[in-house]
Amino acid sequence: MAAVRAGFRRLFSISAFSPPPPAAAAPAAEPSPNLFISGLSKRTTSEGLREAFSKFGQVFQGICFFLWPCIRDPIHKMLTVIYVHITARVVTDRVSGYSKGFGFVSYATVEEAAEGIKGMDGKFLDGWVIFAEYARPRPPPQGQPQPQTTPPPPQMSESPSGYQ
């Protein structure tokens, strides 16, 4: 009888039914000039997002063009056009046109992006508390084959027996 009780205790003890350990939190993204903004209101527009984050650095809507002296060609003193894509964009639903609740802000430098996070993370925008963090790069598409990491086996020019 004592063995039966011990078996029941073991069967119904806490250790037998312990919950799985909590999932590990995703590692923080590396600092970059690109920010991921979540918690946006459906009323938030790209222009409103740009205005809110422009207090902390240069945020532009669209593509900027700069003329820069070409360092590689000092003899001809040519000007090189540099394209810088700096934006604030709210991701919207295709049908309704309303915000999906998140967006992206790109700054010119990592330092400005850090100031944007410090200044806007946990703050109100259009009546909603928003969260700002460094954006993670997109994962590679699932359907495309991954690059081959091991070299292919060497091709033999002749068969081992000498016959082709």
Side-chain angles (χ1 to χ4, degrees), residues 156 158-164:
M156 297 180 71
E158 294 184 26
S159 64
S161 63
Y163 295 105
Q164 292 280 352

Side-chain angles (χ1 to χ4, degrees), residues 26-153:
E30 293 183 24
S32 75
N34 302 320
L35 302 182
F36 173 74
I37 313 301
S38 59
L40 296 175
S41 163
K42 290 192 179 297
R43 298 180 314 205
T44 303
T45 63
S46 294
E47 183 61 27
L49 188 65
R50 186 190 65 76
E51 286 177 14
F53 278 84
S54 64
K55 301 172 191 170
F56 307 101
Q58 292 182 327
V59 180
F60 300 104
Q61 186 66 35
I63 300 175
C64 299
F65 301 95
F66 296 100
L67 292 178
W68 197 262
C70 184
I71 298 171
R72 294 184 182 169
D73 193 9
I75 297 171
H76 295 99
K77 308 271 188 204
M78 297 180 76
L79 293 177
T80 304
V81 177
I82 299 174
Y83 302 94
V84 181
H85 190 84
I86 306 172
T87 61
R89 183 173 65 91
V90 173
V91 178
T92 56
D93 182 81
R94 291 181 187 174
V95 177
S96 68
Y98 288 121
S99 165
K100 285 190 171 185
F102 65 95
F104 298 92
V105 174
S106 296
Y107 283 100
T109 65
V110 175
E111 291 79 18
E112 290 176 347
E115 288 296 317
I117 290 175
K118 194 179 344 176
M120 291 299 291
D121 188 40
K123 300 295 191 278
F124 282 91
L125 181 64
D126 293 334
W128 288 51
V129 176
I130 63 168
F131 302 97
E133 60 183 286
Y134 293 112
R136 292 182 178 86
R138 281 187 178 178
Q142 295 289 336
Q144 295 182 355
Q146 298 295 326
Q148 191 175 11
T149 57
T150 58

Side-chain angles (χ1 to χ4, degrees), residues 9-29:
R9 270 191 226 132
R10 203 172 329 126
L11 181 63
F12 294 108
S13 70
I14 295 173
S15 63
F17 294 102
S18 61

